[in-house]
Amino acid sequence: DNANLDEDGDGYSNADEIDNGTDPCSNASRPADLDGDLASDINDADDDNDGRADVVDAFATDPLNGTATTIP
């Protein structure tokens, strides 16, 4: 459970993979990472990389914060 190790070389630390239940020794096993910043969604405070922390972001998984959503 070491945040400084990435034994499978996939860009995610062993600790991040263990937190997510993925295999830190298998490059094919990777955690969910919406924004592709190599910090899993579980451990990423800003899942959509819009500069707003998920805890205060009404659109935590939408980098456009709802501005591209069409209301029917």
Side-chain angles (χ1 to χ4, degrees):
D1 194 7
N2 188 329
N4 296 317
L5 287 178
D6 176 17
E7 292 182 308
D8 58 6
D10 64 0
Y12 298 93
S13 73
N14 286 3
D16 203 2
E17 293 214 51
I18 290 168
D19 289 349
N20 281 275
T22 55
D23 186 348
C25 295
S26 171
N27 188 287
S29 177
R30 298 177 181 183
D33 182 11
L34 180 73
D35 56 12
D37 64 356
L38 299 178
S40 74
D41 293 342
I42 287 177
N43 293 317
D44 190 349
D46 182 9
D47 287 336
D48 59 10
N49 259 359
D50 65 354
R52 298 190 66 181
D54 292 342
V55 296
V56 296
D57 191 347
F59 300 93
T61 59
D62 180 359
L64 300 175
N65 293 316
T67 61
T69 303
T70 304
I71 297 174

